Structure formats: C-alpha cells, structure tokens
C-alpha cells in the first residue's frame, strides 16, 4: 500500500504487480541514479495495461481465426457433398 500500487484485481494480479514492483525497485537500488517510486509505479501500470490490451487482442484474433477455420471446413464439406447443413 505504501508503494502506491493499484489495489484492484484478483489475488494473482496483486501478487504479480507486487513482484514486478520489487524487481524494479531492487534494480533501481543498484543504479547510480535511481528513479523515484512514483515512476516505477507508473511504469508497472503501463506494462499491465499493455499486457491486458495484448491479451484482449490475442483473444479476439484467436476467435476470428477459429471462425475463419470453421468457415473453410464448412465450405470444404459443402464442396465434397458432406455438409451437415
């Protein structure tokens, strides 16, 4: 809570967010010019947003690919005269 990390999401999200913060924070401790905690929190939020957008995009593309595959299967069955329709 003191770090300023978002507290939304399920337990898995919270754990991942905290682990990522600890990793970044420890890396910054080794730096000659460590970034402020606020910058780390902002970077974690941006990374999480990017991951969620990529997951949504992948899910959409996967569903679209499946629909296209099913259309090809139906068409090949229709051409072969073995259509289920």
């Amino acid at each position: 809570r003191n770090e300023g990390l978002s507290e939304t999401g399920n337990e898995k999200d919270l754990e991942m967010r905290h682990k990522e913060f600890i990793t970044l924070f420890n890396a910054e401790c080794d730096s000659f010019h460590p970034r402020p905690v606020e910058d780390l929190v902002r970077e974690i939020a941006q990374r999480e947003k990017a991951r969620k957008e990529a997951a949504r995009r992948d899910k959409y593309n996967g569903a679209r690919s499946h629909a296209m595959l099913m259309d090809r299967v139906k068409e090949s069955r229709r051409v072969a005269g073995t259509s289920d329709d």
Side-chain angles (χ1 to χ4, degrees):
R1 293 177 191 238
N2 296 336
E3 298 91 11
L5 296 171
S6 172
E7 296 179 9
T8 62
N10 59 34
E11 188 173 345
K12 181 182 172 186
D13 292 337
L14 297 173
E15 286 177 0
M16 186 174 71
R17 196 175 295 135
H18 189 258
K19 285 180 183 180
E20 192 168 5
F21 173 81
I22 295 299
T23 302
L24 278 177
F25 183 82
N26 287 339
E28 290 296 322
C29 287
D30 295 337
S31 173
F32 288 115
H33 304 287
R35 293 181 288 171
V37 170
E38 296 82 17
D39 289 356
L40 304 180
V41 170
R42 192 174 334 145
E43 182 174 336
I44 290 169
Q46 290 170 344
R47 288 181 181 187
E48 187 171 1
K49 181 180 176 184
R51 272 194 304 271
K52 287 181 180 182
E53 287 174 0
R56 271 194 295 273
R57 197 171 44 249
D58 290 348
K59 184 176 180 180
Y60 171 76
N61 288 338
R64 206 172 87 209
S65 294
H66 178 71
M68 289 170 40
L69 173 65
M70 293 308 296
D71 288 345
R72 285 195 305 253
V73 168
K74 288 177 186 176
E75 178 62 18
S76 67
R77 287 181 177 172
R78 186 188 64 73
V79 169
T82 60
S83 177
D84 293 334
D85 296 333

